[in-house]
Amino acid sequence: MNDVAQKLGGALVGGEVNVGTVERWASMFGGGYLAGAGIKKGGAGGALMGLVGAILLHRGATGHCNVYTALGVDTSSTGARPADGAMPATGAAAGVRLEASITVNRMAEELYAYWRDFTNAPSYMDRIISVRALDDRRSLWTAEGPRGAAIEWMSDLTEDVPNRRIAWHSLPGSDLPNRGSVEFTPGRLGETTVRHTLEFDPPGGMVGEAIARVMQGMTKEMVQADLRRFKTLMEAGTTVGAGAPAGSSA
C-alpha cells in the first residue's frame, strides 16, 4: 500500500493545462468509475484500480497530464497538437458506438410522438437536466456531468421519418460531441420495438482507448436503463428517478 501511495503522490503533481475539455470530462467520468470499483473490489487489485481512478480524476480536475508533458503533447486547444519541437501523438481512440433495444406495449405512433418532443427527454433520461427547443431542428441539451457540473451541447436533427426513425448529431463546439438515432419498429398486438443507438468520440491521446473502454461499459447500461424508464413511462404513465410523468414537458 505504501508503494501505491507513493505512485499516487508522484502522479498527482500539478502543472499547466494540457488536456482538452472533452478529454477532461471523460477522465473524470472514467476515473470516478474506477475509483468506486477499486473500493468495492479491495485488496491489491482494488488498490491498483483506485490508483488509476485517482490519477484520471486528478487529470480531469486539473487539466494536466504528466505523460503529455513528457511527450510535449497539448490537447487543450481544439484538436490535439504537439508542443513546439515535439512529435505529434498517434493512436487516437476510435469512436464508441452503443446500442440498446426494448419492446414497449404501445403503438409506434405514440412512442415516436413522445420521443420527437425532445423537451420530454428529462422524464426518462436519467442525467438529462433540461432540453430547450430552439426551432424545428435544433435543441439545447443540458446534462449532469462529473461532480454535478453541467454539460451542454447543441443538437441538430439529421433525419425525421414520422413514426419510424429520428436521428441527430451535436454541433461543433459542444461539450459532449455525439450523434445518435432511435427507431420504432411495429410488432404484433400493438407492440413496438424501440432501438436506440448512440455514438460519441472519446478523447484522443495516450489514455483515450482505456477511457473509452470504461465509458462504453457504463454508458451502454445507462442507455438500456433509459429505455427501461421510457417503457415504464409509456406503459404505466409514470417512472421513478427521471423527472416528470408522461405528458409533461421539461
Side-chain angles (χ1 to χ4, degrees):
M1 291 301 292
N2 289 335
D3 289 341
V4 171
Q6 290 174 0
K7 291 178 182 178
L8 179 60
L12 302 186
V13 176
E16 295 182 357
V17 173
N18 60 1
V19 179
T21 301
V22 176
E23 193 170 352
R24 290 178 67 177
W25 285 121
S27 295
M28 294 181 69
F29 194 70
Y33 173 77
L34 288 176
I39 292 173
K40 291 181 179 180
K41 182 179 180 64
L48 181 58
M49 291 179 68
L51 167 63
V52 175
I55 292 173
L56 288 176
L57 283 170
H58 180 268
R59 186 177 190 269
T62 65
H64 177 76
C65 176
N66 290 326
V67 175
Y68 278 10
T69 299
L71 295 175
V73 173
D74 187 342
T75 65
S76 58
S77 60
T78 303
R81 63 175 177 84
D84 294 340
M87 294 296 292
T90 58
V96 174
R97 187 176 191 274
L98 309 162
E99 186 174 294
S101 64
I102 200 166
T103 299
V104 184
N105 188 25
R106 286 291 184 271
M107 301 294 290
E109 293 79 2
E110 180 182 353
L111 303 182
Y112 163 86
Y114 193 82
W115 196 298
R116 178 61 179 83
D117 183 355
F118 297 127
T119 62
N120 287 326
S123 66
Y124 57 88
M125 292 186 176
D126 188 38
R127 287 168 176 76
I128 301 301
I129 299 173
S130 66
V131 180
R132 181 161 61 93
L134 302 178
D135 53 38
D136 289 342
R137 299 182 60 87
R138 298 178 304 143
S139 52
L140 179 63
W141 293 62
T142 303
E144 181 181 354
R147 300 184 179 181
I151 304 174
E152 288 189 340
W153 66 91
M154 191 86 72
S155 181
D156 183 47
L157 196 66
T158 58
E159 188 176 356
D160 187 7
V161 181
N163 307 323
R164 291 296 180 267
R165 176 179 167 84
I166 305 168
W168 60 89
H169 66 185
S170 61
L171 295 176
S174 297
D175 290 338
L176 184 63
N178 67 89
R179 53 198 171 276
S181 65
V182 59
E183 297 180 354
F184 307 92
T185 304
R188 57 183 182 180
L189 303 177
E191 294 181 339
T192 302
T193 298
V194 181
R195 184 177 304 277
H196 186 199
T197 301
L198 180 64
E199 300 179 64
F200 64 92
D201 298 318
M206 307 303 294
V207 298
E209 292 186 11
I211 294 174
R213 284 195 295 270
V214 173
M215 292 184 70
Q216 184 171 22
M218 295 181 64
T219 310
K220 184 173 183 178
E221 173 54 33
M222 293 175 189
V223 173
Q224 191 67 59
D226 286 345
L227 283 183
R228 287 195 294 266
R229 280 188 291 270
F230 182 73
K231 173 184 172 70
T232 302
L233 181 63
M234 300 310 296
E235 291 182 350
T238 186
T239 189
V240 178
S248 66
S249 297

